[in-house]
Amino acid sequence: FGVWAIILCVLTSGGLLAGIYPAFVLSGFEPVKVLKGKFQQSTTSSFLRKGLVVAQFVVSIALVSGTFIVYSQFSYMQNQDLGFRAAQNLIINSPINVDSTVMQKMELFKNELIRTSNIHSASMTHDIPGKPMTDTNLMRKKEDGKEVQTGTSIMSVNSDFLETYNIKLLTGRFFVKDDKTPLYNFQQNTDPQLHRIVVNESTVKSLGFTSPEEALNKKIVFNYGQPERTAEIIGVIGNYHQQSLQSAYDNIILTYPDNYMANFITINISGNNIPQTISTIESKYKDLFPYDPFTYFFLDDYFNQQYKADLKFGLICLLFSGLAIFIAALGLFGLGSHMALQKVKEISVRKVLGASMLQALILIPKNILTLILISGGIALPIVYFITKKWLENYAFHMDIAIWMFLVPLLLVMAVALLAILSQSVKTAYINPADTLKSE
């Protein structure tokens, strides 16, 4: 109700203000002069009219330029390398009805999948890209004190994780079956087990190592449950975007626990006969987990859902930009008609004195384009500082280039020229004898 009340008030006040000014202007005309077609234009009214046109185009240019930059940033995010393979990765939810045989069934399910045509690999994970990681804690070098701890995210995976997600291994090696450790044992206050972990580049940097090679085989301590865990870094992977490009790279520690930890099963499939492949996967899933629902989604669609808010913001900007240009074009049409009426005799005199058709044709657009350039000179610096501040909210963003401002300005100028084209042509082709015969 409050929003509609505000809209009603804006429309009502806008209508009143739009009607008051012409009413006052018309009431000041002298009837005799009006009936003779003689109008006098004061300097004040001319300045006010031009000021309103400039203000209107400041808003229009700012909205168009801002929308252009918003969509450029959105396109930039959509086309960046995520550091992992999102396409053709099918995600299914792991079974929630578990018992002592769940690990054996999961291994059997994975082995059945990779023996199926159109399926390349499969991996069980605790988290997937496109969502914040659920397990976060602190880490440090083993030789450092707790005062230098830094945050990290901890994700459980299995040995097929790199192959399924096509993440680059920078140095060292990835997990093998012998690397499994009882990470989820919370019964003891000390943990004598030496865990083997794989970390990403961001973690290497946060721990103070100068390179992935320096971090290899080093020991760190991280918190997970009651006891601190001592771990050896056996490999370093490249950074990948766990969340959208609005967020910086996460510090990630990958572990390989020996107990059931999977929330998701990622299956990399080919693009051939996808419905049949999904049907095969569902059949194998139901054979092993008959009491669990089979739900699936594609990773690229899931990851791109993070950009829904950006896309909605861009659509809103586009809507208001279009509306602003349309209103400005209507205003220019009226202003062009008024200027044409004022310039008829001037153009006729110029033509009598030898002015070309082109010189007569550009007289009205020249005045309009001058006002638009003034509007651009006001609007574009404002847009630059606002969008620069807005882009700082994104850890990964494009660089602002001058063409991002010139293209919207040229677009607005083109719309303006189209709006006043008919009046310019009509005035330029007028017969001077018809205009000047009463002088």
Side-chain angles (χ1 to χ4, degrees):
F1 175 77
V3 174
W4 288 109
I6 293 173
I7 293 175
L8 181 62
C9 289
V10 170
L11 292 176
T12 304
S13 59
L16 288 173
L17 291 173
I20 287 174
Y21 174 71
F24 274 112
V25 173
L26 290 174
S27 65
F29 287 155
E30 297 180 25
V32 175
K33 292 183 178 180
V34 171
L35 292 174
K36 289 183 179 181
K38 296 180 179 180
F39 299 88
Q40 287 186 349
Q41 179 179 337
S42 68
T43 305
T44 303
S45 63
S46 175
F47 180 78
L48 177 60
R49 183 168 56 253
K50 291 179 180 179
L52 290 174
V53 171
V54 169
Q56 191 174 39
F57 273 94
V58 165
V59 175
S60 299
I61 293 171
L63 283 172
V64 173
S65 182
T67 301
F68 192 77
I69 291 176
V70 167
Y71 270 95
S72 297
Q73 171 63 15
F74 181 71
S75 176
Y76 172 86
M77 293 190 297
Q78 290 283 76
N79 293 299
Q80 285 299 295
D81 180 15
L82 298 175
F84 69 92
R85 175 172 51 206
Q88 305 304 129
N89 267 353
L90 182 76
I91 309 293
I92 63 176
N93 291 310
S94 297
I96 55 177
N97 296 295
V98 299
D99 54 27
S100 59
T101 64
V102 66
M103 285 297 293
Q104 289 79 9
K105 289 180 179 179
M106 289 289 281
E107 285 293 330
L108 178 61
F109 178 60
K110 188 193 73 171
N111 293 332
E112 287 288 326
L113 289 177
I114 59 179
R115 283 196 292 264
T116 304
S117 60
N118 295 332
I119 295 179
H120 301 143
S121 61
S123 176
M124 295 176 286
T125 61
H126 188 266
D127 289 301
I128 57 173
K131 62 185 291 291
M133 290 188 174
T134 53
D135 290 338
T136 58
N137 222 304
L138 299 173
M139 65 176 178
R140 69 180 191 274
K141 291 181 182 177
K142 185 173 176 58
E143 62 270 19
D144 290 341
K146 292 186 177 182
E147 67 276 1
V148 295
Q149 292 185 130
T150 186
T152 187
S153 297
I154 303 163
M155 183 165 72
S156 299
V157 300
N158 66 3
S159 57
D160 302 293
F161 176 75
L162 281 196
E163 180 186 0
T164 304
Y165 281 89
N166 195 29
I167 296 174
K168 186 177 181 181
L169 180 67
L170 301 179
T171 188
R173 62 177 180 83
F174 203 64
F175 297 119
V176 296
K177 287 187 177 180
D178 291 340
D179 294 322
K180 288 184 177 182
T181 51
L183 183 65
Y184 291 84
N185 181 11
F186 301 112
Q187 302 301 318
Q188 52 188 3
N189 293 324
T190 58
D191 181 23
Q193 179 76 43
L194 177 64
H195 301 271
R196 297 186 181 95
I197 60 172
V198 174
V199 300
N200 67 343
E201 287 179 277
S202 180
T203 300
V204 168
K205 184 177 179 180
S206 295
L207 286 169
F209 297 112
T210 57
S211 67
E213 289 74 21
E214 183 188 356
L216 195 63
N217 301 322
K218 296 297 191 301
K219 293 180 175 58
I220 71 166
V221 175
F222 67 96
N223 296 89
Y224 197 91
Q226 184 63 32
E228 288 187 328
R229 314 285 175 162
T230 301
E232 178 185 2
I233 299 174
I234 63 170
V236 178
I237 61 173
N239 286 327
Y240 67 90
H241 291 281
Q242 176 64 28
Q243 301 180 66
S244 76
L245 273 72
Q246 189 167 2
S247 304
Y249 288 122
D250 291 89
N251 292 337
I252 297 176
I253 291 177
L254 300 180
T255 64
Y256 191 12
D258 64 355
N259 55 325
Y260 182 67
M261 48 71 199
N263 289 330
F264 303 97
I265 304 170
T266 305
I267 307 169
N268 183 245
I269 64 177
S270 71
N272 300 323
N273 201 358
I274 292 177
Q276 179 60 45
T277 303
I278 295 175
S279 178
T280 301
I281 294 171
E282 181 178 10
S283 176
K284 295 181 181 297
Y285 185 87
K286 285 297 185 181
D287 287 342
L288 291 169
F289 311 105
Y291 303 108
D292 286 280
F294 178 79
T295 56
Y296 70 91
F297 53 88
F298 284 95
L299 182 60
D300 50 357
D301 294 335
Y302 180 81
F303 192 89
N304 287 333
Q305 285 181 4
Q306 299 175 102
Y307 300 124
K308 275 188 174 181
D310 298 284
L311 181 59
K312 186 178 294 184
F313 178 64
L315 290 174
I316 292 172
C317 290
L318 182 63
L319 174 64
F320 278 100
S321 298
L323 184 61
I325 291 178
F326 177 72
I327 294 173
L330 289 179
L332 273 186
F333 186 83
L335 180 63
S337 299
H338 176 77
M339 293 183 69
L341 183 64
Q342 297 291 327
K343 297 284 186 180
V344 165
K345 291 184 179 180
E346 179 186 343
I347 292 173
S348 298
V349 171
R350 286 174 179 267
K351 291 179 69 176
V352 169
L353 294 177
S356 66
M357 185 63 67
L358 180 61
Q359 289 174 322
L361 190 64
I362 66 173
L363 188 60
I364 295 175
K366 183 177 69 174
N367 295 330
I368 298 295
L369 292 180
T370 300
L371 296 178
I372 295 177
L373 288 174
I374 294 173
S375 302
I378 298 172
L380 295 181
I382 297 173
V383 174
Y384 172 77
F385 287 108
I386 292 177
T387 53
K388 184 179 180 183
K389 193 69 176 176
W390 175 72
L391 287 172
E392 288 176 0
N393 295 321
Y394 293 84
F396 300 87
H397 59 78
M398 64 179 188
D399 295 324
I400 297 179
I402 190 170
W403 62 268
M404 296 178 180
F405 300 100
L406 292 180
V407 171
L409 180 60
L410 293 174
L411 174 63
V412 172
M413 292 176 70
V415 172
L417 286 175
L418 289 174
I420 60 175
L421 184 62
S422 60
Q423 289 91 340
S424 299
V425 172
K426 182 180 178 181
T427 306
Y429 278 91
I430 198 167
N431 188 350
D434 295 334
T435 305
L436 300 176
K437 63 183 178 180
S438 61
E439 296 298 322

